[in-house]
Amino acid sequence: MSLTDILMITATALSPLIAVQVTRYLDDRNEERGRKLQIFKILMATRAYTLAPSHVEALNRIDLEFSSKRRQEKAVLDIWQQYLDHLGNKTMQPDAWADKRVDLLVDLLHAMGHALDYDFNKTQIKNGTYAPVAHGRIEEEQEKIRQFAIELLEGKRVLPMYVTNFPNQNTPDQSP
């Protein structure tokens, strides 16, 4: 048996194993990218509704899916850390805090888009969202209702009641 025959037999025997390993590697890589894309798409879709549970969940998954070993993903993690620190900052004035929050979220989404090969500029990310005014009004009304209910339950607010109709006292008693 010649060296060529041995190499042919070895290649024939190993090729299915190599094919399976390559397929598994590619599937794992695609699944990993899919999870990152899911986070990015949720954050982009909910960037006008940052209190949405799916938005918060996606933010909390960034540490799990992005790696500090890759330069572009490390940039995502660095900006996420800045954004997270800002979200916990209670010392700023509300308007300044809100403006900086938006800027940091835009920076985060821009870095994520760059790491995932999307070509969005920061202006597109910041201004390219649709948020109906009615949604904001509904959220404000729901917050007022929640606050009223809490104050009522805590005894800090009373529920005014007015009797508008007394039973007619001139009707004869219907008991035997």
Side-chain angles (χ1 to χ4, degrees), residues 12-26:
T12 304
L14 292 179
S15 61
L17 178 64
I18 293 169
V20 167
Q21 291 301 316
V22 168
T23 301
R24 286 185 64 196
Y25 169 76
L26 293 174

Side-chain angles (χ1 to χ4, degrees), residues 1 40-41 52 62 95 125 144 160 166:
M1 191 178 277
F40 178 67
K41 288 178 180 181
I62 291 172
D95 288 341
I125 294 169
K144 285 179 185 177
F166 285 102

Side-chain angles (χ1 to χ4, degrees), residues 20-21 46 49-50 66 82 88 95 112 122 136 141 150 159:
V20 167
Q21 291 301 316
T46 59
Y49 304 104
T50 57
F66 287 82
Q82 291 174 26
D95 288 341
M112 288 177 81
K122 290 183 179 184
E141 290 168 352
I150 290 168
L159 187 62

Side-chain angles (χ1 to χ4, degrees), residues 92-139:
M92 292 180 74
Q93 293 296 320
D95 288 341
W97 184 90
D99 289 343
K100 185 167 182 176
R101 184 198 59 76
V102 170
D103 291 341
L104 287 170
L105 178 60
V106 168
D107 290 345
L108 176 63
L109 292 173
H110 185 259
M112 288 177 81
H114 188 67
L116 295 168
D117 297 323
Y118 279 89
D119 190 26
F120 292 115
N121 63 47
K122 290 183 179 184
T123 303
Q124 284 175 298
I125 294 169
K126 186 174 185 177
N127 299 329
T129 183
Y130 174 62
V133 174
H135 284 186
R137 189 179 69 248
I138 289 168
E139 283 187 21

Side-chain angles (χ1 to χ4, degrees), residues 143-162:
E143 179 60 23
K144 285 179 185 177
I145 291 168
R146 282 192 294 270
Q147 284 302 115
F148 180 82
I150 290 168
E151 290 172 4
L152 186 65
L153 292 170
E154 290 176 341
K156 296 176 182 175
R157 181 179 288 268
V158 295
L159 187 62
M161 298 177 66
Y162 303 99

